[in-house]
Amino acid sequence: MTNFDRAIVHVLANEGGYSNNPKDPGGETMWGITRATATAAGYSGEMKDLPLRIAKKIYRERYWRLEYERMPYVVAVQVFDAAVNSGPVAAIKWLQQAVGTRQDGVIGPLTMAAVGRRDPLQIVLRFCSARLKFLTSLPTWPSFGRGWVNRIVGNMLITDND
């Protein structure tokens, strides 16, 4: 089983099914996919009807990076979940901050080498710290902060065996 196949289970559990919360700047979503993202990927149906197979395809194409397959799973799942929640560039920059490389939002050989040299659990702790620092600065924190914290805490309990 690939890291993606394992990680998508956790991301889908975090994202849930259909949502149309007026406080969410992402608007209407299904499986965590916004209408704008689904439309950009070629989907034109009702969001409530977005098939899971299409959501998984969107996640693989827009949020997953091939480099995540070469990372320890506990790191890859954190970065993927953050990419879904806050965007791939932000997630990669938090990873780069956690491993001490230049924060350019692109996973290159220097970032991968740094990931390979660091203890995966230390990366996870530093990554989650950077992610939480960002999330607490958002104006939507009062509405969504508790859910984000629960999401990150749940992610921190993921092991290589999950």
Side-chain angles (χ1 to χ4, degrees), residues 76-129:
V77 70
Q78 298 296 330
V79 182
F80 178 46
D81 185 71
V84 167
N85 194 224
S86 300
V89 172
I92 293 167
K93 286 182 177 181
W94 297 329
L95 173 65
Q96 291 169 325
Q97 181 180 345
V99 298
T101 59
R102 186 168 62 94
Q103 296 172 43
D104 62 4
V106 177
I107 301 176
L110 295 177
T111 300
M112 287 303 294
V115 168
R117 286 191 305 269
R118 304 282 195 286
D119 175 356
L121 296 181
Q122 287 297 316
I123 295 172
V124 168
L125 288 173
R126 291 173 187 231
F127 180 89
C128 290
S129 295

Side-chain angles (χ1 to χ4, degrees), residues 33 38 48-49 61 71 79 102 120-121 133 145 155-156 158:
I33 304 292
K48 288 182 182 180
D49 299 329
E61 291 175 357
M71 291 179 188
V79 182
R102 186 168 62 94
L121 296 181
K133 185 173 183 179
N155 287 351
M156 290 176 75
I158 295 171

